[in-house]
Each structure stands twice: as C-alpha cells, then as structure tokens.
Amino acid sequence: QVLSPDELYQFDLRDSNAAASVRGRFGDADLSEAEYKKLFDLRKAYEDAVGAVADYSDPDKVRKRGEARKALEDAYKTALGDQRMDEVTRQQDSGWRSLTQIGQQFNLDQQTLERAYAMQQAAGDQLSKLFGDTNLSRDDRRKLVDAVNAELQQGMTTVLGADAAAQLQKAGQQLTFTRGPDSFSISTIPRGPIPAGGTLIINEVQRTR
C-alpha cells in the first residue's frame, strides 16, 4: 500500500527470499546489475510457481519442484549465455579463486591458470567417480584417491611451477567442483610442511545441493 510497484520491485531486489537465493547461488560471481536482475526475475517466477519453501509432505509437489528447479537452472544458463555461465560458474569455485590468488602472487598468466583449473576439474571428476563406486573397498579407494592426488600435484607443479604449486597446496584450500545445481567439495588440510610434489590429503568429502 505504501510503495509503488517499481519501488516494491526495487525493495524485493535487495530484500526478499528470491534475492537471498540468487545471492546464495551466485554470490561469489562478479555479476553486472543487468545480469543480477535477469537472474532475480527468473528466481522470482520460479518461487511464484512452486513456492518459496519446499513442501516435502507431498511427493507430487516434490517432483514438480525438482522439474521446475532443473528448468530454472536451464533458464539461468540461457539468460547468461554458455560462455558467461561458464565464467560465472568458475568464479563460484573456491579452487579457481585459490588459483587466481596464487596467480597474482607468482605473476602467472590466464592461460596457465586455466590449464591448472582444467586439471582440478579432471581430478574432481575422477574423485567423484571413486567416491560413488560402492564396489570399492575403503583401502582400495584410499589408494586410488592418493594416486589421483599425486598425479594432480605433479601436473600442478609442471604447469604452475614448483613454488606456486607448493604454496597452493600449503594453503589447505577447499576445492569445489560444480555440476549445475550440485557441487562436489574436497577439503584439504596439510600435515605440516608439504614439499613440492607431495600429495594432497583428503580430510572430508561432501555433496551439497
């Protein structure tokens, strides 16, 4: 009653469930105002259709909400375009952010960082498959995880240089491998000084949605 439709829209852009959801989904990305509004409008339409809060008591509503969420992710990608969506997804990735910090510290170029990031992504795919394979014993999985991480660290040393790779590893960063609305996170904690060429240590693995 107090605000005009445009004023209410401007308010919702800043303080609403849809705004909080967009910030939660894209908060680490460097979005323009126009991009943010596009994403907000899509999220608001989604909430208007299925509600801001999920109703898990009704299987049919859960199914419809899942379908609508997938459609929302597709709409996000369409709104931003494939290339820009890839950039935004990468900006959300803590592994990429750690790489860019190391890149600034050691004066590494963009192409070098992208090569290192591709290695992280490939390692994430391998680790995701290992932790999803219920036929593997704990010991066998541990050995394969160690092998993947040893290969990753060797590759990072080759691409980034020994000093930069060692610094990245000592940081004990969390690598998050994003796949659409899902992300696969690996928290790494170093055990004391780690020489260049050492292996990353998996401390915790979790899936978030």
Side-chain angles (χ1 to χ4, degrees), residues 64-82:
K64 290 180 179 179
R65 189 177 190 86
E67 293 173 350
R69 180 57 185 269
K70 184 180 183 306
L72 175 63
E73 288 296 324
D74 291 341
Y76 283 157
K77 187 174 182 179
T78 299
L80 295 177
D82 290 345

Side-chain angles (χ1 to χ4, degrees), residues 119-134:
M119 289 182 179
Q120 286 185 346
Q121 294 293 290
D125 287 336
Q126 290 178 282
L127 291 169
S128 182
K129 290 177 182 178
L130 289 177
F131 282 96
D133 188 347
T134 58

Side-chain angles (χ1 to χ4, degrees), residues 63-137:
R63 177 185 60 80
K64 290 180 179 179
R65 189 177 190 86
E67 293 173 350
R69 180 57 185 269
K70 184 180 183 306
L72 175 63
E73 288 296 324
D74 291 341
Y76 283 157
K77 187 174 182 179
T78 299
L80 295 177
D82 290 345
Q83 182 176 352
R84 178 58 174 152
M85 188 63 176
D86 288 344
E87 293 175 357
V88 167
T89 299
R90 189 169 60 185
Q91 290 172 6
Q92 296 288 99
D93 192 325
S94 60
W96 174 254
R97 294 197 298 274
S98 295
L99 277 172
T100 56
Q101 291 173 358
I102 294 297
Q104 293 172 357
Q105 182 177 349
F106 289 89
N107 196 28
L108 302 174
D109 60 37
Q110 183 77 5
Q111 185 177 9
T112 297
L113 297 181
E114 289 178 353
R115 287 177 61 195
Y117 181 68
M119 289 182 179
Q120 286 185 346
Q121 294 293 290
D125 287 336
Q126 290 178 282
L127 291 169
S128 182
K129 290 177 182 178
L130 289 177
F131 282 96
D133 188 347
T134 58
N135 295 320
L136 286 175
S137 68

